[in-house]
Amino acid sequence: MAETKTLRLAAKLAEVMKQVKYIQKAGYNSFHKYRYATEADVNEKVREELAKQNVIMLPSLLSHSIREHTTRSGATEYITYVDMEFRFIDGDTGEEFVIRMSGEGQDAGDKGIYKAISGAQKYALMKVFM
């Protein structure tokens, strides 16, 4: 029975992969002058398709660390590193698929952890669904 459940969840994730063909690069990094797909854009596209398949994704923070960093201008910022686990759960069968992803965020205040979590989630989705 577990084999059948696994095949169902795998088939649903493969269908999400089929439907999310390309995500427009709406973000722009003016410092390095390049376009990129934003976390919000990735989340929106993938969330819609996961919902159609009755699959949810639950994030869990496994660990985090923070270190100080001095910028070129001499300002102190904080670099936060996170290890995350993302659990895909099939709402029909209860089958689960788990991946792990790390993320890093840099901020002068208290937003580094949120940036790190957002980065980990964006790249987890991009790598799972190619």
Side-chain angles (χ1 to χ4, degrees):
M1 185 70 168
E3 247 182 76
T4 304
K5 286 183 180 180
T6 302
L7 293 176
R8 285 187 195 160
L9 180 55
K12 288 180 175 189
L13 294 176
E15 185 60 31
V16 171
M17 188 181 289
K18 287 179 196 173
Q19 296 304 317
V20 181
K21 292 177 176 55
Y22 179 76
I23 297 173
Q24 196 69 28
K25 293 181 178 181
Y28 183 71
N29 181 314
S30 58
F31 183 79
H32 293 290
K33 300 189 181 354
Y34 66 89
R35 295 203 169 281
Y36 63 94
T38 68
E39 183 224 5
D41 292 334
V42 172
N43 287 344
E44 179 183 350
K45 290 280 191 185
V46 174
R47 183 198 57 77
E48 288 175 9
E49 297 304 327
L50 285 173
K52 288 177 187 176
Q53 297 298 321
N54 204 24
V55 174
I56 64 169
M57 184 186 79
L58 298 176
S60 295
L61 178 63
L62 301 176
S63 67
H64 76 283
S65 62
I66 301 171
R67 68 178 172 86
E68 281 191 14
H69 170 73
T70 304
T71 66
R72 290 180 188 166
S73 64
T76 299
E77 290 194 341
Y78 302 93
I79 297 177
T80 304
Y81 180 84
V82 297
D83 282 315
M84 300 285 299
E85 181 176 271
F86 298 95
R87 184 176 304 270
F88 294 89
I89 304 172
D90 186 330
D92 298 319
T93 66
E95 181 66 27
E96 298 182 4
F97 172 70
V98 177
I99 64 158
R100 290 187 174 185
M101 181 64 67
S102 298
E104 195 172 84
Q106 184 172 336
D107 192 73
D110 62 347
K111 304 293 186 275
I113 193 162
Y114 308 114
K115 291 177 179 181
I117 290 169
S118 294
Q121 180 168 309
K122 173 184 168 181
Y123 283 96
L125 291 172
M126 287 175 59
K127 295 306 171 193
V128 166
F129 298 108
M130 300 172 70

